Amino acid sequence: GESVGLHLPTLSVQEGDNSIINCAYSNSASDYFIWYKQESGKGPQFIIDIRSNMDKRQGQRVTVLLNKTVKHLSLQIAATQPGDSAVYFCAEGWQGGGTSYGKLTFGQGTILTVHP
Amino acid sequence: GAVVSQHPSRVICKSGTSVKIECRSLDFQATTMFWYRQFPKQSLMLMATSNEGSKATYEQGVEKDKFLINHASLTLSTLTVTSAHPEDSSFYICSARGTGLRGLHFGNGTRLTVT
């Protein structure tokens, strides 16, 4: 079946650096993408989302870029802090109605480690 | 903000027994909830979609008779792992759908260990 995958399983950066986490998706029907942060032993925490009619969206210290041509999604974290250390997942979904609404397919995940 | 509560957060059970996990939406109604399973160092895999007042929809490869889902009210879905085996040991996470896709909220997961 179609799936969402990540290029890099681990990313190690110094505090203050910018981090970029990448994700490839394959389901062309997906029209909604979300980045989640997961700390050890906890559920996913929403970071930022983007709809397929956009190519960029910015939040506080985070930016999500969507390239539908190559089916690629990225999360940029500015001035990365030790508290940003976690596993980051991209997820894709479809905003259509019915039972698929809210059903997400998660990517592989990237472990981000921020060194002080 | 919207909160989804899972209970218990951790459970250890003996092989062959059944375990029930609860997922509650605390301040909103959720006609649909989703159950995911996550093995160590892996991603979340959707197991089933739980619909209030109707049967759950299971993903391919998930045994519906082993993972019983009951969504009896607009704020509660339960997942029962029946006749648990060590290979069922995993992190089980639910999400509840409120209004709009921004209305998706995840619980903090349940760590199940089957001995």
Side-chain angles (χ1 to χ4, degrees):
Chain A
E2 296 184 291
S3 63
V4 178
L6 290 174
H7 297 303
L8 299 174
T10 61
L11 178 64
S12 193
V13 301
Q14 291 296 126
E15 182 177 2
D17 287 352
N18 296 331
S19 301
I20 299 176
I21 300 171
N22 296 301
C23 174
Y25 69 93
S26 58
N27 189 344
S28 56
S30 296
D31 60 4
Y32 187 76
F33 305 88
I34 311 172
W35 279 100
Y36 287 98
K37 173 185 181 182
Q38 187 181 29
E39 296 175 313
S40 181
K42 295 186 178 180
Q45 176 188 348
F46 174 92
I47 300 173
I48 192 168
D49 58 4
I50 189 167
R51 298 175 191 270
S52 59
N53 61 353
M54 303 171 69
D55 53 19
K56 181 179 180 179
R57 191 153 185 272
Q58 288 184 294
Q60 187 176 15
R61 285 202 303 120
V62 294
T63 301
V64 55
L65 298 178
L66 174 63
N67 186 330
K68 293 183 289 293
T69 303
V70 295
K71 295 180 183 171
H72 184 267
L73 195 66
S74 69
L75 175 70
Q76 300 177 1
I77 304 174
T80 317
Q81 303 166 0
D84 294 328
S85 295
V87 181
Y88 289 79
F89 292 97
C90 64
E92 59 178 316
W94 179 56
Q95 296 181 79
T99 57
S100 293
Y101 184 62
K103 178 175 160 179
L104 298 177
T105 300
F106 280 79
Q108 179 185 0
T110 293
I111 301 171
L112 175 65
T113 303
V114 183
H115 300 284
Chain B
V3 177
V4 172
S5 173
Q6 272 187 249
H7 179 80
S9 58
R10 289 179 174 270
V11 58
I12 301 173
C13 70
K14 292 184 184 290
S15 188
T17 61
S18 295
V19 173
K20 181 184 284 188
I21 302 169
E22 294 185 347
C23 179
R24 292 182 185 271
S25 55
L26 297 185
D27 55 359
F28 66 101
Q29 293 183 333
T31 56
T32 302
M33 295 184 178
F34 302 92
W35 287 97
Y36 294 83
R37 180 167 53 184
Q38 185 179 31
F39 292 108
K41 300 191 187 301
Q42 293 189 24
S43 188
L44 285 75
M45 295 297 293
L46 181 67
M47 298 176 67
T49 302
S50 172
N51 302 298
E52 188 268 337
S54 64
K55 289 184 179 180
T57 304
Y58 290 82
E59 295 300 301
Q60 191 173 7
V62 178
E63 299 174 60
K64 64 179 185 202
D65 294 330
K66 180 167 183 64
F67 299 100
L68 301 179
I69 291 172
N70 184 11
H71 195 149
S73 78
L74 287 170
T75 59
L76 174 64
S77 174
T78 61
L79 169 68
T80 301
V81 182
T82 63
S83 186
H85 291 285
E87 57 264 32
D88 297 324
S89 298
S90 189
F91 195 49
Y92 292 86
I93 305 170
C94 72
S95 69
R97 191 183 80 194
T99 302
L101 271 175
R102 288 275 185 89
L104 275 174
H105 304 281
F106 281 84
N108 260 335
T110 296
R111 173 75 60 195
L112 170 63
T113 303
V114 184
T115 61

